[in-house]
Amino acid sequence: MSEKKKILVIGGAGYIGSHVVKALLANNFAVTVYDNMSTGQPCNLFTDANFVGGDIADEKKMHEVMAKGFDVVIHLAAKKAVGESMTNPQLYAKNNISGTINILNAMTDCGVKNIVFSSTAAVYGMPKYLPIDEQHPVEPMSFYGFTKAEIERVMDWYSKLKDFHYIALRYFNAVGYAADGSIRGKEKNPQNLLPIIMEVLSGKRKELQIFGNDYDTPDGTCIRDYIHVEDLATAHIAAVNELCARPVSHIINLSTGKGTSVLEMVHAAENVSGKKIPFKFAPRRSGDPAIVVADNSTARKILHWAPQYTDMEQIIQTTWNLEEK
Ligand code: UDP
């Protein structure tokens, strides 16, 4: 029997990271999680994975861990609030740029050659055409998006200069939870639409504010490409396998290719929960494009991956399950 491949998941206690760890364990990888637990949660940790508490800013610790040797690093540790990145860019520069460079340098110093990097739709900025493919210009409108775009460029240089390969996965809107209920860590102070809808449904918030109803879309509200977190997780497994099979770097959108409006999300959540969602229309949120929908043909071709969750009510049900119990 061949040895298990060793994977270091940085940020493995977070929302997407914990789903990636779950999928890795299910696929027989040996997993080590490195997390500073700033937003990661103890209930997101799996006992079958090793855990190392630490910060990516800690160069010494990063090197110590990396020296254990890994086939692939998956890096999901980042600050991700777009608004905060505009008021506190220093924090985002330190964490998302300097912190990631610590990881990349620890990798190259220790001979760890492969990384799967969490990138984002925010690197594209205002869509110039739809659906967005990977050739779309990279012109981020937030400092958050800039930090991710910048690391993609650093990784590209490292891939030319060193024995180093990367797959940057540009996530669109991640939603949902593991359908088997094994991951239950809810984000504190959520900024995204579906967790906010859940807070309204559970009575934690009085009402939902819908940012803009005068967009050039069929119902006037913004359209986004919502992808289930378990589909994101399986794409990470495919990316790990691809890097282990072929030393080639890629940038890949992870999306469904299907758009859903804010009002459609509200109605789907009402159907799933059987409750009314009080909402009011509020002014547009600055920097929000009317429609973001992405082409996922690169993921289909290179990763031989396709999203399995296609029904929005089914997707929302996996989130609603956490509220019901
Ligand atoms: N949105 C909203 N009310 C909220 C939060 C979000 O109307 O309280 C809208 C937002 O304007 C966008 C969509 O929901 O059109 C998804 O927003 P989110 O912040 O979840 O993700 P984004 O697409 O901005 O990354």
Side-chain angles (χ1 to χ4, degrees), residues 173 192-193 196 209-211 222 224 226 262 285 288:
N173 293 59
N192 295 107
L193 178 63
I196 288 174
Q209 291 199 323
I210 295 182
F211 301 135
C222 287
R224 295 287 177 274
Y226 296 94
V262 177
R285 194 171 63 175
D288 261 351

Side-chain angles (χ1 to χ4, degrees), residues 112-181:
V112 175
K113 296 176 182 168
N114 301 309
I115 186 167
V116 178
F117 175 67
S118 299
S119 189
T120 170
V123 299
Y124 294 115
M126 196 55 83
K128 296 194 189 319
Y129 59 83
L130 294 168
I132 297 173
D133 57 21
E134 292 85 355
Q135 280 68 52
H136 185 285
V138 169
E139 292 173 12
M141 289 189 302
S142 66
F143 193 76
Y144 165 70
F146 166 79
T147 64
K148 295 286 185 172
E150 205 60 7
I151 290 301
E152 286 187 357
R153 287 157 56 108
V154 173
M155 291 193 306
D156 206 54
W157 271 105
Y158 276 34
S159 74
K160 291 177 187 144
L161 304 174
K162 295 275 176 183
D163 186 10
F164 174 90
H165 315 285
Y166 71 90
I167 294 184
L169 298 174
R170 291 176 175 166
Y171 311 150
F172 284 71
N173 293 59
V175 287
Y177 276 82
D180 67 3

Side-chain angles (χ1 to χ4, degrees), residues 124-273:
Y124 294 115
M126 196 55 83
K128 296 194 189 319
Y129 59 83
L130 294 168
I132 297 173
D133 57 21
E134 292 85 355
Q135 280 68 52
H136 185 285
V138 169
E139 292 173 12
M141 289 189 302
S142 66
F143 193 76
Y144 165 70
F146 166 79
T147 64
K148 295 286 185 172
E150 205 60 7
I151 290 301
E152 286 187 357
R153 287 157 56 108
V154 173
M155 291 193 306
D156 206 54
W157 271 105
Y158 276 34
S159 74
K160 291 177 187 144
L161 304 174
K162 295 275 176 183
D163 186 10
F164 174 90
H165 315 285
Y166 71 90
I167 294 184
L169 298 174
R170 291 176 175 166
Y171 311 150
F172 284 71
N173 293 59
V175 287
Y177 276 82
D180 67 3
S182 57
I183 296 173
R184 311 195 63 79
K186 274 192 255 175
E187 221 180 336
K188 292 178 196 101
N189 194 18
Q191 311 279 322
N192 295 107
L193 178 63
L194 191 56
I196 288 174
I197 288 177
M198 291 298 138
E199 290 200 346
V200 175
L201 281 170
S202 68
K204 207 167 162 200
R205 281 181 201 239
K206 210 164 85 277
E207 64 182 8
L208 170 72
Q209 291 199 323
I210 295 182
F211 301 135
N213 65 340
D214 57 351
Y215 284 99
D216 188 13
T217 60
D219 66 22
T221 65
C222 287
I223 291 176
R224 295 287 177 274
D225 191 326
Y226 296 94
I227 178 164
H228 196 277
V229 67
E230 290 197 299
D231 282 330
L232 289 183
T234 57
H236 287 72
I237 306 296
V240 164
N241 288 333
E242 180 62 21
L243 282 170
C244 290
R246 267 168 292 276
V248 184
S249 296
H250 299 283
I251 291 178
I252 300 177
N253 284 345
L254 291 183
S255 68
T256 65
K258 193 179 139 218
T260 306
S261 75
V262 177
L263 274 175
E264 285 171 338
M265 288 294 276
V266 168
H267 294 141
E270 287 182 336
N271 288 342
V272 167
S273 64

